[in-house]
Amino acid sequence: MTSCFVATPEFRIIRLHTRCRRDLIEERTRDKQRAEKLLESAAIKLSSVVSDLHGVTGRDIMDHLIAGERNPKVLAQLARAAARRKIAELEEALEGAEFFTAEHAGLLAAMLERIDRVTADIARLSEVIEQLLAPYEEQLAQAESMPGWRRRSAEDAIAETGVDMTRFPTGAHLASWGSRAPLDHQSGARKGRARSKKGNRYLAGVLGETAVAAGRTQTREGARYRRLARRLGKPKAQVAVGNTQLKVLHKLLSNPGMRHEDLGPDYYERRASLRRQIHHHVTHLESLGFEVTLCRAPDPQPAPAGQAHAV
């Protein structure tokens, strides 16, 4: 199994680019958080009203603050699209603008300039990555067919795992290598609770995002995430759904042309209903003196080729 951890020279180059892009995205996120804290230090609670502080409305307001505008009513009128329905809330959130000094403006200008520079670097890297992964458009489309996955998620994940799934005998092997096995079991004495093992932080970052995104969808994966998050907490739900997603990815990449087919958000309810019906009928037959042995009949109509269900 040692060879499965070694990427080919081609994918090592792709991985360098995708990892650099992810590092830049994390750096940009930190700068955005610093900008938000800077505004809050001047009693400006803009992020409590605007969903994306660095969207069109938020950025326009910050640019006018840097330019010297301090009137909350004037700043609130800069709202665009859906944000215009929150003019009153914006005025209230911007009441602290009078405390926004020239020193605040200088720091905010520097932060926004750095954010713009990193954004441009990310865009250039994305163009290069798109070219490097052009021969693997089919595999990217397969990954994007999963709930919660988008283009960047597919690019980052495939850069880490590669497209040759023969390196991993089963989806469980890929999930274990990707640090998404539920627990790291060992024999003998253990100090503390069992934990999932550490692994590739870049792949873990992708799976954390896709698991949360899938949890917002009306799919089988979404239902699984929500059920586990209520019972075990969000971190364990992310690990469990990430485990499922890696198994599905292994199945997809092992079968060219296959696409993910969702089992539906009511999958668990249907399965529980089936179990209740089976229990009812078996209990009734046993009460009549029969000994019941169950076996599943073969499916007379196999599922069409080119579809993958969640594992």
Side-chain angles (χ1 to χ4, degrees):
M1 285 295 292
T2 305
S3 62
C4 72
F5 297 94
V6 181
T8 62
E10 180 184 9
F11 273 93
R12 283 201 291 270
I13 296 297
I14 297 173
R15 184 183 290 179
L16 286 174
H17 287 77
T18 56
R19 288 181 176 184
C20 181
R21 180 175 65 181
R22 179 161 284 272
D23 289 339
L24 288 176
I25 291 173
E26 292 175 356
E27 179 183 336
R28 182 178 62 180
T29 300
R30 288 191 292 269
D31 283 332
K32 288 182 176 181
Q33 291 170 344
R34 292 188 189 102
E36 181 179 357
K37 290 181 179 178
L38 177 66
L39 291 174
E40 290 180 351
S41 71
I44 297 175
K45 305 295 183 180
L46 187 58
S47 58
S48 65
V49 181
V50 180
S51 59
D52 182 6
L53 181 61
H54 295 269
V56 176
T57 295
R59 184 57 186 265
D60 206 5
I61 291 174
M62 287 190 287
D63 287 339
H64 278 74
L65 281 169
I66 292 170
E69 181 60 62
R70 298 292 183 269
N71 188 329
K73 293 185 180 297
V74 174
L75 292 170
Q77 289 300 323
L78 297 170
R80 310 281 183 84
R84 293 205 62 81
R85 295 195 294 266
K86 304 178 181 179
I87 295 294
E89 292 92 333
L90 280 172
E91 290 180 5
E92 185 178 353
L94 291 164
E95 285 179 356
E98 59 181 302
F99 303 107
F100 194 81
T101 66
E103 288 74 20
H104 284 108
L107 278 173
L108 183 59
M111 291 177 182
L112 295 182
E113 181 182 352
R114 186 162 58 249
I115 289 170
D116 290 342
R117 187 168 60 250
V118 174
T119 299
D121 291 339
I122 292 171
R124 284 192 291 270
L125 267 176
S126 296
E127 292 177 1
V128 176
I129 292 168
E130 190 76 22
Q131 295 172 3
L132 291 173
L133 284 171
Y136 306 103
E137 182 61 35
E138 169 60 23
Q139 289 85 350
L140 291 171
Q142 288 180 298
E144 283 186 272
S145 69
M146 292 191 291
W149 287 64
R150 52 180 181 167
R151 185 70 175 193
R152 185 172 294 170
S153 307
E155 290 174 346
D156 288 355
I158 287 178
E160 298 298 330
T161 65
V163 296
D164 182 9
M165 290 296 106
T166 60
R167 295 167 175 261
F168 303 96
T170 66
H173 286 78
L174 176 59
S176 177
W177 177 79
S179 72
R180 282 299 179 266
L183 291 176
D184 183 14
H185 293 290
Q186 69 178 45
S187 59
R190 174 190 292 278
K191 294 183 179 179
R193 298 176 61 185
R195 299 179 181 273
S196 58
K197 69 177 185 179
K198 295 182 179 179
N200 185 315
R201 78 174 183 90
Y202 294 96
L203 184 58
V206 173
L207 294 171
E209 293 171 358
T210 56
V212 173
R216 301 190 187 103
T217 63
Q218 294 302 312
T219 61
R220 187 263 190 176
E221 284 84 348
R224 176 171 169 77
Y225 178 87
R226 292 187 291 273
R227 286 164 61 94
L228 292 175
R230 286 194 298 267
R231 184 161 55 91
L232 302 174
K234 293 181 179 180
K236 289 185 178 180
Q238 288 181 19
V239 172
V241 175
N243 177 283
T244 297
Q245 290 179 332
L246 280 182
K247 290 178 179 178
V248 173
L249 181 65
H250 183 277
K251 180 72 172 180
L252 292 172
L253 297 184
S254 300
N255 296 273
M258 181 179 285
R259 294 292 186 273
H260 178 271
E261 183 188 14
D262 182 48
L263 295 173
D266 60 342
Y267 168 77
Y268 293 102
E269 286 75 11
R270 287 188 282 108
R271 188 172 67 171
S273 176
L274 176 62
R275 287 176 175 173
R276 283 194 295 269
Q277 291 181 46
I278 292 173
H279 176 72
H280 169 75
H281 292 301
V282 168
T283 303
H284 180 63
L285 289 171
E286 288 176 342
S287 69
L288 296 175
F290 292 94
E291 182 178 341
V292 181
T293 301
L294 298 177
C295 63
R296 184 177 293 275
D299 189 354
Q301 294 181 347
Q307 297 176 342
H309 296 285
V311 180

